[in-house]
């Protein structure tokens, strides 16, 4: 963190202030930032959110909150909240306030015109991981059952798509099999590409608490020396994008040293022989020059993992955001299957998800199929949902449409003409944002539905729809351990802002499919999705709002209020033969790599204070005081060589774009690598390339080649 105090008075003025505001009442919610799913109560006084506190004895956070949670009520009251619908004829004229009726009529008319003129798929809908499950379900019903475009996806393609794809390939269905309690039972933790301390601070607190009770080895695999890496027993500073090779080599050693669980493999898996054939080629000596990790260290880690009675892996974006994202996830699953570490306490392969409701969208949004983990390709699934919704089965596409990352090139190519963005800000968060700006400018019609009217993507829009935020509406989120939690409405939304659910229902009306969403309450939506979830992997049928509130959340599958801490405990998976699949994975190096002209690896990610594109945290004084501006982490060897020092302004340049940013000299990145937080607009995503994973279509945000020059105004 950089401090730039000019004087003592300046230091005083910038001091972080925590006000203790008295509240009249407290509303129970789940935090609206990350997927940890902390219980958080919003203090309300005179109808305003004035405070928050962690929910005492909550099963996830036991009253603890991180920096973002502590000031979350300030996001509700922040400036720039959208209070009225806005409209303009074209994106170069100023917006004017209009009525909801005018904004929705115009939107529905444009949607109909575009679909009528160019075909249904000329309209795209891109949503998020940050609205309630009930809202996702309603949007899916409207898009799949009313609009009929197959260009429907969410920002989860930027985030969790590789985990989803990997789980489906290995286990036949999405769904993280483990839970946070696994820290209390495990004998070995491998953490791949996760900055847990900054990105899921309360999961880290759970891990630390488990370690204080009982030591077990923690191995962190990350090119950077994060605080997590500093606190690990072993840090593997892996070469960017080579985790697959490391994982194959770990499996190689487990097999070589006879540490595999033959009984588990025999009873519950298939595909083993082909897998063995492939990993046989990946000796630690072969992996060493590719991964940068000494063969002896790989052997050591494989032995620790293989000999543990229960061993677990967690991972986040260092794995998912790679051209081998899906393969990386499958390789983590392979290692778990090889040692029988699935479905048992302390033995799991647990994807740490990202956004507060990245899980809810996977379960019920219909983005990647139909609700309840149903598939468009499956005739029975189409028939079930068509019947339940009262729509013609033939209205559904029979195969999955484009993902968010393929929709934008289609906009650029003129195939997609209209776009509805809901709670996502691609103008800043997509890779190669110069190209995204061009795509957004190419649209005939863009509608942005967001809680903040100054969101970057609204610069390109014709219509802005102001939405109610977390705690201004009731609904559920699912966290990383499949725990469904309830957010109670604490306060009224500002001005004329409406909940996303109300907006979807009003849109359905305007599109003359109002029968799909006749009574837009979260309770009604919850009952519908519960009904269709019965017997599905994400079974919600035993849940109720009262039970969720009472318990602080319940883990699906939940055919009763009991819920399930783990999946696959009986060794049965969601595949046709109920066995898990070993999948043989070859490594193909296709990244843009540093060369003479662009000699540095660019790595991007997060800091604890900020949330994504800063629409929320950028408006919160204390968080900005901690982390006011973007910076580039640079190793001292590189800084010396380039004649640069901390606080110098430099230009970081890739083949796609550049940014000017100040230097932070650190030993946390290796020579030849730099790290820039991606939160700031017109920042690191000007430079990223974002090659896509072939299975998940998730962008490789963490690997690009750049050069660095001193900034000069002359
Ligand atoms: N404070 C804060 N917390 C958040 C968020 C936020 O914006 N701010 N966002 C939430 C969301 S949506 C998400 S998805 C999560 C993301 O959570 P994380 O994935 O933990 O966060 P990142 O900083 O994106 O990246 C994690 C690490 O991956 C490493 N990495 C880069 N390349 C590689 C590689 O090739 N191999 C390996 N093994 N590691 C690599 C990076 O050095 C970095 O330390 O955080 C969630 N929590
Ligand atoms: N370089 C680089 N880029 C990255 C990443 C990276 O690691 N490196 N990570 C990627 C990942 S993992 C993710 S998840 C994406 C995130 O990328 P985005 O989805 O663009 O992230 P946010 O800034 O969270 O955008 C969410 C928007 O929803 C709005 N919002 C919040 N709550 C509500 C609500 O209830 N209703 C409505 N209608 N709007 C709401 C917020 O104001 C905000 O504008 O970024 C990706 N981009
Ligand atoms: S760890 Fe995540 S869920 Fe918990 S308070 Fe922080 S941002 Fe919210
Ligand atoms: Mo994410």
């Amino acid at each position: 963190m950089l401090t730039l105090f000019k004087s003592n008075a300046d230091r005083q003025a910038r001091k972080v202030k925590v006000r203790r505001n008295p509240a009249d009442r407290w509303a129970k919610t789940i935090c609206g930032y990350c997927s940890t799913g902390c219980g958080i109560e919003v203090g309300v006084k005179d109808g305003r959110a004035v405070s928050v506190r962690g929910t005492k004895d909550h099963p996830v956070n036991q009253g603890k909150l991180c920096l973002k949670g502590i000031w979350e009520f300030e996001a509700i009251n922040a400036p720039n909240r959208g209070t009225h619908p806005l409209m303009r004829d074209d994106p170069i004229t100023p917006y004017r306030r209009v009525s909801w009726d005018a904004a929705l009529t115009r939107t529905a008319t444009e949607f109909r015109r575009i679909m009528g003129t160019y075909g249904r798929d000329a309209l795209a809908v891109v949503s998020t991981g940050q609205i309630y499950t009930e809202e996702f379900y309603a949007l899916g019903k409207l898009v799949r059952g009313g609009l009929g475009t197959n260009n429907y996806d969410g920002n989860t393609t930027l985030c969790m798509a590789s985990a989803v794809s990997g789980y489906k390939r290995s286990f036949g269905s999405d769904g993280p099999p483990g839970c946070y309690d696994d820290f209390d039972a495990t004998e070995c933790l491998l953490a791949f590409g996760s900055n847990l301390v900054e990105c899921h601070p309360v999961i880290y607190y759970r891990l630390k608490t488990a370690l204080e009770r009982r030591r077990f080895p923690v191995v962190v695999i990350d090119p950077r020396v994060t605080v997590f890496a500093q606190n690990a027993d072993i840090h593997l500073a892996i070469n960017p994008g080579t985790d697959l090779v490391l994982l194959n080599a770990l499996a190689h050693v487990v097999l070589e040293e006879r540490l595999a669980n033959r009984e588990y493999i025999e009873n519950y898996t298939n595909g083993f022989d082909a897998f063995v054939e492939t990993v046989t080629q990946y000796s630690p000596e072969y992996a060493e020059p590719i991964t940068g990790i000494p063969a002896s260290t790989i052997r050591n880690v494989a032995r620790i993992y293989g000999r543990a009675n229960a061993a677990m892996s967690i991972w986040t974006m260092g794995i998912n955001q790679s051209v081998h994202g899906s393969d990386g996830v499958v390789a983590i699953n392979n290692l778990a299957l090889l040692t029988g570490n699935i479905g048992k306490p302390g033995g799991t392969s647990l994807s740490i998800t990202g956004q507060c409701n990245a899980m809810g969208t996977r379960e019920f949004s219909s983005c990647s199929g139909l609700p309840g983990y149903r598939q468009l390709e499956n005739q029975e699934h189409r028939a079930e949902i068509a019947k339940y919704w009262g729509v013609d089965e033939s209205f559904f596409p029979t195969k999955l449409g484009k993902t968010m990352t393929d929709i934008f090139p289609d906009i650029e190519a003129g195939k997609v003409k209209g776009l509805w963005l809901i709670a996502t800000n691609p103008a800043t968060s997509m890779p190669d944002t110069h190209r995204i700006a061009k795509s957004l400018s190419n649209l005939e019609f863009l509608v942005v539905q967001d809680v903040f009217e100054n969101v970057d993507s609204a610069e390109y829009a014709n219509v802005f729809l102001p939405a109610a935020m977390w705690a201004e509406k009731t609904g559920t989120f699912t966290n990383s351990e499949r725990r469904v939690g309830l957010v109670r409405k604490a306060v009224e939304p500002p001005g004329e802002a409406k909940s996303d659910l109300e907006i979807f229902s009003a849109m359905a009306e305007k599109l003359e499919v109002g029968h799909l969403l006749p009574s837009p309450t979260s309770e009604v939506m919850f009952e519908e999705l519960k009904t269709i979830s019965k017997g599905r992997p994400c079974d919600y049928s035993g849940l109720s709002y009262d039970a969720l509130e009472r318990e602080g959340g319940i883990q699906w599958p939940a055919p009763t209020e009991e819920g399930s801490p783990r999946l696959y405990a009986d060794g049965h998976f969601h595949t046709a033969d109920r066995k898990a699949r070993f999948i043989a994975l070859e490594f193909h190096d296709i990244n843009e790599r540093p060369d003479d002209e662009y000699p540095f690896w660019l790595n991007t990610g997060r800091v604890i204070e900020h949330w994504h594109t800063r629409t929320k945290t950028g408006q919160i004084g204390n968080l900005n005081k901690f982390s006011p501006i973007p910076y580039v982490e640079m190793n001292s060897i590189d800084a010396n060589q380039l004649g640069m020092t901390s606080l110098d302004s430099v230009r970081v340049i890739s083949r796609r774009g550049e940014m000017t940013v100040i230097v932070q000299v650190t030993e946390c990145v290796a020579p030849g690598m730099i790290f820039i937080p991606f939160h700031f607009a017109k920042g690191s995503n000007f430079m990223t390339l974002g090659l896509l994973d072939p299975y998940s279509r998730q962008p490789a945000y963490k690997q690009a080649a750049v050069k660095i020059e001193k900034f000069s105004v002359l």
Side-chain angles (χ1 to χ4, degrees):
M1 221 175 307
L2 287 162
T3 46
L4 300 159
F5 303 129
K6 294 193 197 91
S7 62
N8 250 347
D10 187 32
R11 179 189 294 270
Q12 282 306 320
R14 292 176 190 231
K15 227 177 179 174
V16 169
K17 298 179 184 87
V18 183
R19 261 170 297 163
R20 298 211 175 276
N21 296 325
D24 298 335
R25 62 184 171 85
W26 296 88
K28 275 196 179 169
T29 80
I30 302 296
C31 177
Y33 283 113
C34 89
S35 64
T36 301
C38 295
I40 180 168
E41 294 174 18
V42 181
V44 182
K45 190 174 168 55
D46 303 328
R48 244 176 98 80
V50 293
S51 192
V52 302
R53 66 183 183 198
T55 307
K56 196 165 163 259
D57 301 330
H58 189 272
V60 169
N61 56 319
Q62 291 132 15
K64 298 277 184 298
L65 294 174
C66 82
L67 218 55
K68 290 179 296 304
I70 288 171
W71 281 301
E72 198 159 4
F73 67 98
E74 291 194 4
I76 296 177
N77 304 320
N80 300 308
R81 286 294 307 273
T83 54
H84 293 81
L86 305 175
M87 205 158 90
R88 54 187 172 181
D89 294 332
D90 56 65
I92 49 168
T93 51
Y95 276 119
R96 60 182 190 281
R97 278 187 182 181
V98 293
S99 66
W100 272 103
D101 189 61
L104 293 174
T105 304
R106 166 108 184 270
T107 304
T109 309
E110 285 293 319
F111 282 5
R112 271 208 226 89
R113 178 187 66 77
I114 286 168
M115 296 174 95
T117 313
Y118 308 105
R120 279 200 230 164
D121 289 346
L123 177 73
V125 181
V126 175
S127 82
T128 183
Q130 299 176 51
I131 57 177
Y132 298 143
T133 305
E134 293 80 351
E135 297 179 319
F136 282 130
Y137 171 74
L139 177 64
K141 203 173 177 188
L142 172 59
V143 174
R144 294 275 181 227
L147 279 168
T149 172
N150 204 9
N151 279 326
Y152 169 42
D153 195 27
N155 67 1
T156 36
T157 292
L158 313 180
C159 179
M160 299 317 303
S162 295
V164 173
S165 150
Y167 277 141
K168 284 185 179 164
R169 289 166 73 200
S170 298
F171 306 144
S173 174
D174 183 22
C179 57
Y180 308 153
D181 277 349
D182 284 323
F183 294 139
D184 294 309
T186 198
E187 293 184 5
C188 170
L189 172 70
L190 305 187
F192 294 88
S194 158
N195 185 357
L196 201 66
V197 178
E198 297 203 62
C199 297
H200 301 89
V202 174
I203 301 184
Y204 185 66
Y205 153 76
R206 291 286 302 268
L207 171 62
K208 284 286 279 185
T209 311
L211 283 165
E212 277 161 21
R213 288 195 201 114
R214 183 182 52 87
R215 293 287 307 166
F216 54 88
V218 174
V219 183
V220 167
I221 301 102
D222 194 312
R224 280 168 82 207
V225 194
T226 58
V227 176
F228 194 15
Q230 289 167 39
N231 282 281
D233 298 287
I234 302 178
H235 172 215
L236 307 183
I238 195 165
N239 285 337
T242 64
D243 296 78
L244 178 56
V245 178
L246 170 67
L247 281 152
N248 276 349
L250 291 172
H252 177 105
V253 179
V254 168
L255 279 164
E256 195 177 59
E257 308 214 351
R258 301 185 183 285
L259 298 170
N261 183 336
R262 293 276 169 180
E263 202 185 320
Y264 190 88
I265 295 165
E266 181 67 29
N267 290 334
Y268 303 118
T269 70
N270 59 33
F272 184 59
D273 294 343
F275 168 72
V276 173
E277 204 174 302
T278 302
V279 297
T280 304
Q281 299 153 41
Y282 287 78
S283 67
E285 287 68 25
Y286 173 77
E288 176 173 325
I290 302 174
T291 59
I293 301 166
S296 59
T297 308
I298 298 177
R299 284 213 155 77
N300 187 24
V301 170
R303 282 177 196 136
I304 294 170
Y305 181 91
R307 285 177 189 158
N309 289 312
M312 65 188 283
S313 297
I314 59 170
W315 75 92
T316 323
M317 291 306 121
I319 291 285
N320 288 358
Q321 290 174 346
S322 147
V323 287
H324 319 111
S326 174
D327 280 356
V329 173
V330 171
I332 291 171
N333 295 340
N334 281 339
L335 196 62
L337 293 172
L338 189 61
T339 48
N341 275 307
I342 289 289
K344 71 180 193 191
T348 191
S349 129
L350 180 64
S351 143
I352 304 294
T353 56
Q355 302 162 83
C356 49
N357 207 17
M359 284 298 296
T361 179
R362 286 148 71 171
E363 296 155 12
F364 290 104
S365 72
S366 307
C367 273
S368 49
L370 289 167
Y373 287 139
R374 289 179 176 84
Q375 292 151 5
L376 284 166
E377 298 85 340
N378 182 319
Q379 194 273 327
E380 260 173 54
H381 289 176
R382 292 197 304 271
E384 270 171 350
I385 297 301
K387 185 159 171 239
Y388 189 68
W389 285 351
V391 299
D392 190 340
E393 191 191 315
S394 65
F395 191 66
F396 293 148
T398 53
K399 66 177 183 42
L400 197 54
K402 296 264 167 80
T403 61
M404 179 177 187
T405 42
D406 287 317
I407 288 172
F408 275 84
D410 270 8
I411 299 175
E412 200 178 339
K415 288 190 215 159
V416 170
K417 305 281 191 186
L419 177 64
W420 183 6
L421 289 177
I422 300 145
T424 185
N425 186 15
T428 298
S429 60
M430 289 279 284
D432 195 0
T433 36
H434 283 305
R435 233 178 119 180
I436 298 303
K438 244 198 287 172
S439 296
L440 290 170
S441 311
N442 228 9
L443 287 161
E444 289 184 10
F445 184 74
L446 171 65
V447 50
V448 167
Q449 179 170 326
D450 204 282
V451 296
F452 288 103
E453 63 183 24
N454 65 336
V455 55
D456 314 305
S457 299
E459 276 176 38
Y460 305 86
N462 305 79
V463 173
F464 173 82
L465 304 176
M469 197 196 264
W470 161 85
E472 292 171 344
K473 50 187 183 178
T474 295
T476 55
F477 288 150
T478 310
N479 78 353
S480 286
E481 53 170 5
R482 289 168 286 101
R483 189 181 296 278
V484 182
L486 181 69
V487 181
R488 284 277 186 211
K489 177 171 174 171
V491 290
E492 290 298 326
E496 293 179 11
K498 284 180 194 288
S499 76
D500 292 283
L501 182 53
E502 287 167 320
I503 301 173
F504 299 146
S505 172
M507 267 304 292
E509 184 92 355
K510 287 284 176 206
L511 289 161
E512 291 165 16
V513 288
H515 59 280
L516 290 173
L517 302 171
S519 44
T521 69
S522 43
E523 285 81 0
V524 170
M525 292 296 114
F526 193 67
E527 286 309 313
E528 280 196 26
L529 65 88
K530 264 171 64 179
T531 307
I532 56 165
S533 76
K534 201 170 169 56
R536 299 297 305 159
C538 51
D539 192 330
Y540 273 38
S541 59
L543 301 181
S544 66
Y545 277 5
D546 285 344
L548 294 179
E549 186 162 31
R550 191 182 63 237
E551 302 297 326
I554 296 171
Q555 288 161 287
W556 63 252
T560 69
E561 275 185 14
E562 278 296 294
S564 319
R566 293 178 188 84
L567 304 181
Y568 315 128
D570 60 0
H572 291 137
F573 295 84
H574 294 296
T575 51
D577 61 3
R578 313 225 53 200
K579 289 188 170 188
R581 305 180 192 115
F582 277 104
I583 300 174
L585 306 159
E586 289 289 0
F587 175 73
H588 303 286
D589 192 356
I590 57 165
N591 274 315
E592 180 182 58
R593 300 179 63 83
D595 54 21
D596 290 346
E597 203 183 342
Y598 296 92
F600 288 91
W601 279 109
L602 168 66
N603 178 3
T604 64
R606 293 159 167 80
V607 298
I608 189 167
E609 297 87 359
H610 284 301
W611 181 256
H612 297 164
T613 67
R614 289 170 71 251
T615 56
K616 281 158 121 181
T617 51
Q619 323 228 27
I620 296 176
N622 285 327
L623 298 180
N624 277 326
K625 284 177 185 174
F626 279 127
S627 178
I629 42 171
Y631 57 89
V632 53
E633 289 182 355
M634 190 190 290
N635 187 279
S636 58
I637 294 176
D638 293 326
N640 285 340
Q641 217 159 52
L642 294 167
M644 292 167 184
T645 184
S646 283
L647 298 185
D648 276 357
S649 288
V650 296
R651 292 167 65 208
V652 178
I653 307 163
S654 82
R655 291 182 176 85
R656 293 152 296 278
E658 64 173 82
M659 81 184 283
T660 303
V661 62
I662 60 166
V663 172
Q664 181 172 11
V665 176
T666 172
E667 304 308 315
C668 291
V669 292
M673 295 187 196
I674 60 168
F675 176 85
I676 305 179
F678 89 96
H679 305 291
F680 298 84
K682 304 188 174 32
S684 65
N685 276 330
F686 275 164
M687 282 95 73
T688 50
L689 169 57
L691 290 177
L692 301 182
D693 177 276
Y695 294 94
S696 67
R697 313 304 289 158
Q698 182 159 348
Y701 282 111
K702 307 264 186 261
Q703 287 98 35
V706 293
K707 60 183 169 189
I708 304 167
E709 291 177 0
K710 259 200 165 160
F711 175 76
S712 146
V713 277
L714 298 176

